[in-house]
Amino acid sequence: MFAYEEFVLVLYEDLDGIHSREFVWWYNGHPDFSNFDPDLQSTDTAVILGQGNVALDVARILLRSTSDLAKTDIADHALLSLQDSSIRKVCLVGRRGPVQAAFTAKELREIVGLKDVYIHIQEADMLKSPADEEELKSSRIQKRVYELLSKAASSPDSPPPGQRELHFVFF
């Protein structure tokens, strides 16, 4: 089980291992970032701050098998680096709850459907407040996202050996 107490608050974007848009530009093949060299080998865990479509895309790139990625339009230099990646756990950290998650159902469905990826969501995070209930009543999209997260939250308590892990960390 992943120990959430291990998180460290990082306040400086210019520290080693802290990346922003350049990571997305790198795997999407932006010519100015073909020499960008993220360290994907010194740890098994990546933490992504944010719970929107871009955050899901980054998590998907880190967790998807390179044989599957090879069938996409990912930049060749990124695919080569990802082949040697030791990242096996990705945590998507957000300040709000699952009702307020900013990703679309389509993007969420794609990452939840990745084979050999264990999805972890703390059961307590899926509890809804009366305000959450009202918000879900007024947004069909958020209702669908919440339903997908609820279904993913019903995974087994621990990942099978060898599976990559995606942890949604709300609040």
Side-chain angles (χ1 to χ4, degrees):
M1 177 68 88
F2 185 77
Y4 293 108
E5 295 79 27
E6 295 175 13
F7 284 124
V8 175
L9 177 61
V10 178
L11 299 173
Y12 301 99
E13 197 171 295
D14 59 346
L15 293 175
D16 288 341
I18 307 297
H19 306 294
S20 186
R21 294 177 192 97
E22 66 269 10
F23 188 80
V24 175
W25 294 333
W26 169 74
Y27 68 74
N28 280 325
H30 189 292
D32 292 345
F33 293 89
S34 60
N35 292 325
F36 179 68
D37 188 23
D39 179 5
L40 302 174
Q41 298 171 340
S42 65
T43 185
D44 70 345
T45 303
V47 176
I48 300 168
L49 301 179
Q51 292 177 334
N53 285 341
V54 174
L56 279 182
D57 192 43
V58 171
R60 186 174 41 250
I61 291 295
L62 291 171
L63 293 171
R64 199 168 171 190
S65 73
T66 52
S67 60
D68 284 347
L69 286 173
K71 300 171 191 168
T72 71
D73 62 351
I74 190 170
D76 292 338
H77 58 265
L79 183 61
L80 286 172
S81 290
L82 288 163
Q83 286 174 339
D84 296 326
S85 173
S86 63
I87 303 294
R88 296 294 174 259
K89 290 183 213 168
V90 173
C91 300
L92 283 174
V93 179
R95 62 188 167 134
R96 297 185 184 151
V99 172
Q100 294 79 30
F103 27 75
T104 61
K106 179 183 183 277
E107 294 290 326
L108 181 58
R109 211 175 9 259
E110 188 172 325
I111 198 160
V112 169
L114 288 178
K115 60 182 178 182
D116 298 325
V117 174
Y118 166 79
I119 307 294
H120 178 77
I121 301 171
Q122 290 189 348
E123 196 174 316
D125 286 350
M126 296 307 296
L127 299 176
K128 296 177 286 196
S129 70
D132 289 338
E133 293 285 359
E134 286 302 312
E135 194 171 339
L136 290 176
K137 284 180 187 175
S138 65
S139 174
R140 188 177 57 83
I141 293 169
Q142 285 310 108
K143 183 177 180 182
R144 185 65 189 129
V145 166
Y146 183 83
E147 289 169 352
L148 288 166
L149 287 168
S150 294
K151 186 176 177 184
S154 63
S155 313
D157 288 338
S158 60
Q163 271 199 332
R164 295 177 186 215
E165 302 174 31
L166 175 59
H167 295 255
F168 287 86
V169 183
F170 294 103
F171 301 107

